[in-house]
Amino acid sequence: MKLNYIFIFLGVGVMAVMLFQTVDREFKLHNVKAGLVMTSEEVKKKEEDIANLKTKIKGLKESLSTINSKMDTLRMKQEVALKGTKDQETKLEACNKQKADIVKKRTDIESASVKLHIDHQATKTKAQQEIQSLKQQILDRDKAICAFADTTNEQARKLCGII
C-alpha cells in the first residue's frame, strides 16, 4: 500500500509538473501569438510607410526630371549666350583694329595737312616777297622810264603818277 501511495504521489507530482509545463507553454505560446500579432501590425505599418516613401520618391523623381530638363535648357541658353559673347568679342576686336587703323590714318592725314599748311605758308611768304620785289623792280623801272618819258603825254603822266 505504501507503494501505491508512492506511485499515486509520484503520479500526482508528475501530473503537477506536466500541468505546470503545459500552463507555462500556453502562456509562452500566448505571448508569442501576441508578439506575432504586434509584429505583423508593425510590419503592416512599415509596409505602409514604405509605400508612402515610394510615392514620395516617385514624385521627387518626377520633379527631379523636370528640374534636369530645365537645367538642360538653361545650359543650352548659357552656351548660346557664351557663343554670342565670343562672337561679339571677336567683332569688337575687329572693330577696335579698324578704329586703330582709322586713327593712324587720321593722324597721318593730320600731320600731312599740317606739313602742307606749313609748306603753303612758306610758299605764300616766298611768293609775297617775290611779288614785293617784282613790284619794287617795276617801280624802279617805271621811275627810270619816267626820267626819260615825255610828261606832256597822258599815258606817260599816268605811268609816272603825275597829275
Side-chain angles (χ1 to χ4, degrees):
M1 198 75 207
K2 277 186 173 189
L3 194 60
N4 282 336
Y5 285 123
I6 291 177
F7 281 127
I8 292 175
F9 180 72
L10 278 175
V12 170
V14 168
M15 272 180 50
V17 168
M18 288 179 69
L19 183 66
F20 175 75
Q21 283 181 349
T22 305
V23 169
D24 186 44
R25 285 188 182 174
E26 282 295 322
F27 278 128
K28 285 181 182 178
L29 185 61
H30 179 67
N31 286 339
V32 168
K33 285 183 180 178
L36 184 61
V37 169
M38 289 174 66
T39 306
S40 65
E41 287 177 5
E42 287 177 6
V43 167
K44 285 181 183 177
K45 221 179 200 185
K46 289 188 179 188
E47 285 177 351
E48 289 174 2
D49 290 343
I50 289 171
N52 289 337
L53 287 175
K54 282 184 179 180
T55 56
K56 285 182 182 179
I57 289 172
K58 186 178 180 182
L60 289 174
K61 282 183 180 179
E62 290 174 1
S63 65
L64 182 64
S65 66
T66 58
I67 289 172
N68 282 337
S69 65
K70 287 180 182 178
M71 283 185 61
D72 289 340
T73 57
L74 288 175
R75 283 185 187 138
M76 289 172 40
K77 286 181 182 179
Q78 182 183 16
E79 288 175 5
V80 169
L82 288 175
K83 186 178 179 182
T85 303
K86 287 181 182 179
D87 291 344
Q88 294 299 326
E89 286 176 356
T90 55
K91 288 180 182 179
L92 179 65
E93 288 175 9
C95 213
N96 284 337
K97 286 179 184 178
Q98 287 179 349
K99 180 183 175 186
D101 291 342
I102 289 171
V103 167
K104 185 178 177 184
K105 287 179 183 178
R106 180 177 164 208
T107 55
D108 291 344
I109 290 172
E110 285 177 353
S111 64
S113 173
V114 168
K115 187 177 178 182
L116 283 175
H117 183 67
I118 292 171
D119 290 345
H120 175 68
Q121 290 293 334
T123 307
K124 186 178 177 182
T125 55
K126 285 181 184 178
Q128 286 177 349
Q129 289 174 354
E130 222 176 283
I131 288 171
Q132 287 298 329
S133 68
L134 288 174
K135 281 183 181 179
Q136 189 63 37
Q137 286 176 3
I138 290 172
L139 285 176
D140 291 343
R141 185 189 66 182
D142 287 347
K143 285 182 184 178
I145 292 175
C146 286
F148 299 108
D150 183 20
T151 55
T152 57
N153 190 351
E154 187 177 326
Q155 285 183 351
R157 281 190 301 231
K158 280 185 183 177
L159 184 64
C160 292
I162 301 171
I163 301 174

